[in-house]
Amino acid sequence: MSPGDVLEDRVEVVNLTNAPIQLLVESVDATLNADGAFAPAGPGTRREAGAWIELERNSLEIAPLGAESVGVTITVPSTAPAGDHVAAIVVQREDPDLQGNVRVVNRVGVRVYLTVGGGGPLSRDFSIAGFRWAGTPTDLQFEVEIVNTGQLLVEPAGTIEVSRDGTTVLRHEMPVLGGVPRQESRRLMISLPGELAGGTYVTDVDLQTWQGDAEDSAQTSFVLDADSLAGASEGEADPFAGRGPWLSGALLTFMITFLIVGFFALPLLRRKREQDEDAAAVTEAD
């Protein structure tokens, strides 16, 4: 999209329960957390891309197992900076559930990505700055640090392969690990199914952005001691950065559920120094 463009679309909200529900609908800003997860802002937060979105209506009453659609108009301001912008359209119950002293708010949302063009092509590129073992024999975890070296958001996905003595023991196709804003870095976690026996392992990871063809690879090795089965990282790969053309972003959906819980007051127990000294004196007397 370009500054000044207008996009018309619709979202559909489905009631999956056997009772009618009253819902609030709104657009809000969004961010990408430190772990790369998409995070809509709180209710009423519309200072950035969330303010570009206008909804046909802001409240819904949906019959049991029914559905309602809401018109969406996205207007890109004439002053919008080039690059990727994220927002969300969220719905929640008008009356949050109360479970004892806990206030539970279920929010379900549509994730919105908008790419605004500039005076020239924008690159979507990244590099792997670090890759290491971070798990246990029964909880296979790796951490990969992604540096966004382009002007657009990157969301890497790809494959990971674990080998022992030159033989592949695990190979896993990974969906998008998370998002990394332009010119920033994120440490993303990779979880694998299965377990590993003691031994020395070599792991290769190959990542690429699903929006384009930028790619990068890295390798690390680790040892699982046969006796204690404790993981120990042995190395970290030198990264190299791929290069690829930019590709305009798109509007896509993702189900997000948040639980906002109340806080409980916990009693604070304090003991006076004089009481401790008295107790010590009684012990010595005994």
Side-chain angles (χ1 to χ4, degrees):
M1 301 183 70
S2 300
D5 281 356
V6 178
L7 172 67
E8 300 284 345
D9 208 332
R10 302 190 72 82
V11 295
E12 185 175 77
V13 183
V14 180
N15 181 1
L16 301 178
T17 73
N18 293 315
I21 54 174
Q22 299 278 345
L23 298 173
L24 299 176
V25 188
E26 67 171 338
S27 62
V28 296
D29 298 336
T31 59
L32 296 170
N33 287 340
D35 59 358
F38 185 91
T45 306
R46 302 178 71 246
R47 292 185 291 269
E48 299 177 355
W52 304 357
I53 304 172
E54 294 298 330
L55 304 177
E56 181 182 34
R57 47 185 169 157
N58 294 107
S59 63
L60 297 174
E61 181 176 356
I62 308 180
L65 303 178
E68 294 284 342
S69 65
V70 179
V72 178
T73 301
I74 301 175
T75 303
V76 180
S78 59
T79 57
D84 282 327
H85 304 267
V86 292
I89 300 171
V90 297
V91 297
Q92 70 178 57
R93 289 181 180 270
E94 287 189 358
D95 298 317
D97 294 334
L98 290 177
Q99 300 178 7
N101 292 325
V102 180
R103 179 173 178 265
V104 180
V105 178
N106 294 315
R107 302 176 75 202
V108 181
V110 176
R111 182 164 59 171
V112 179
Y113 288 146
L114 293 168
T115 298
V116 178
L122 302 174
S123 65
R124 196 182 301 276
D125 207 354
F126 75 98
S127 65
I128 298 177
F131 179 47
R132 70 179 186 90
W133 165 253
T136 68
T138 57
D139 184 16
L140 311 185
Q141 299 267 349
F142 294 86
E143 181 185 79
V144 58
E145 183 176 0
I146 304 296
V147 178
N148 187 336
T149 57
Q151 290 83 44
L152 297 172
L153 170 79
V154 295
E155 292 183 301
T159 59
I160 186 169
E161 187 172 281
V162 181
S163 302
R164 180 182 179 187
D165 299 328
T167 301
T168 300
V169 296
L170 281 175
R171 189 177 190 278
H172 187 61
E173 297 285 342
M174 299 176 296
V176 170
L177 299 176
V180 184
R182 57 182 179 177
Q183 302 300 310
E184 295 186 24
S185 65
R186 293 288 189 274
R187 292 185 177 183
L188 309 179
M189 298 304 298
I190 301 173
S191 298
L192 300 182
E195 299 182 7
L196 295 175
T200 300
Y201 294 88
V202 176
T203 304
D204 294 275
V205 64
D206 296 293
L207 299 177
Q208 55 277 328
T209 57
W210 72 268
Q211 307 100 322
D213 59 2
E215 59 183 357
D216 200 0
S217 302
Q219 183 182 87
T220 191
S221 60
F222 62 97
V223 174
L224 296 180
D225 182 72
D227 296 325
S228 62
L229 292 181
S233 177
E234 284 197 333
E236 188 167 312
D238 290 328
F240 65 87
R243 292 291 182 267
W246 71 280
L247 188 65
S248 63
L251 180 71
L252 53 117
T253 63
F254 187 80
M255 302 301 289
I256 311 162
T257 303
F258 293 88
L259 296 180
I260 303 175
V261 298
F263 293 92
F264 296 92
L266 300 179
L268 182 63
L269 302 180
R270 297 179 178 176
R271 294 182 181 274
K272 296 181 179 180
R273 180 176 301 175
E274 290 81 4
Q275 292 175 325
D276 293 337
E277 293 174 351
D278 291 344
V282 171
T283 301
E284 291 177 358
D286 292 342

